[in-house]
Amino acid sequence: MYKRILVAVDGSENSKRAAQHAAKLATLGKETHVEILYVQDFEKIPSDAKQKARTATIDSERRKRIAPIKGVFEQPRVSHELIVKQGEPGSTIVSFANRGGFDLVVIGSRGLNSFQEMVIGSVSQKVAKRVNAPVLIVK
């Protein structure tokens, strides 16, 4: 089956569902390893907050968002590791996935409405278009 699975998460319910599907797939193989990728997008933080924000605060918030997702892989004892990157989520996920030699990339769908998708697109669409490996988008 799959030896290496990348699951991109942002702490949302959609990414938790994506993680649950990745964990189910990972349990099908004895040697499957899952890498959980969380991309911190500092562009979404107002510039005033950037100057005042301390690393410890950002780390604490990230840990709170990701803890339930990491738990998804601990229950069935799936081999996994958390990787945190900084940057624009779409391009960072694509770059990491294409360099990593993954067998599968799993990502949640944000469920943007059709007008928003047409104008700005979504991270899951960008990943599906640009990643070399098969991509599973979970609703």
Side-chain angles (χ1 to χ4, degrees), residues 69-82:
I69 292 170
K70 278 193 61 131
V72 167
F73 297 96
E74 291 165 358
Q75 190 77 354
R77 291 196 170 118
V78 172
S79 170
H80 67 281
E81 69 180 294
L82 173 66

Side-chain angles (χ1 to χ4, degrees), residues 5-43:
I5 299 174
L6 172 65
V7 60
V9 300
D10 62 3
S12 67
E13 281 301 312
N14 289 334
S15 70
K16 185 173 181 182
R17 280 193 296 278
Q20 290 167 338
H21 281 281
K24 285 179 190 176
L25 289 170
T27 61
L28 298 175
K30 292 181 181 179
E31 298 176 10
T32 304
H33 179 72
V34 177
E35 292 185 35
I36 306 163
L37 178 62
Y38 177 84
V39 180
Q40 179 70 50
D41 186 2
F42 285 111
E43 293 299 315

Side-chain angles (χ1 to χ4, degrees), residues 52-99:
K52 295 178 183 177
R54 290 182 285 154
T55 305
T57 303
I58 293 169
D59 285 345
S60 174
E61 289 176 22
R62 175 181 48 82
R63 275 190 234 110
K64 284 179 192 174
R65 282 189 212 143
I66 296 179
I69 292 170
K70 278 193 61 131
V72 167
F73 297 96
E74 291 165 358
Q75 190 77 354
R77 291 196 170 118
V78 172
S79 170
H80 67 281
E81 69 180 294
L82 173 66
I83 293 132
V84 179
K85 297 280 184 185
Q86 296 177 359
E88 190 276 318
S91 60
T92 303
I93 295 165
V94 169
S95 175
F96 187 83
N98 286 340
R99 280 187 270 133

Side-chain angles (χ1 to χ4, degrees), residues 109-126:
S109 170
R110 262 187 44 194
L112 296 173
N113 68 42
S114 58
F115 177 73
Q116 288 174 313
E117 285 181 7
M118 182 179 70
V119 175
I120 61 171
S122 70
V123 172
S124 58
Q125 283 181 325
K126 290 174 187 173

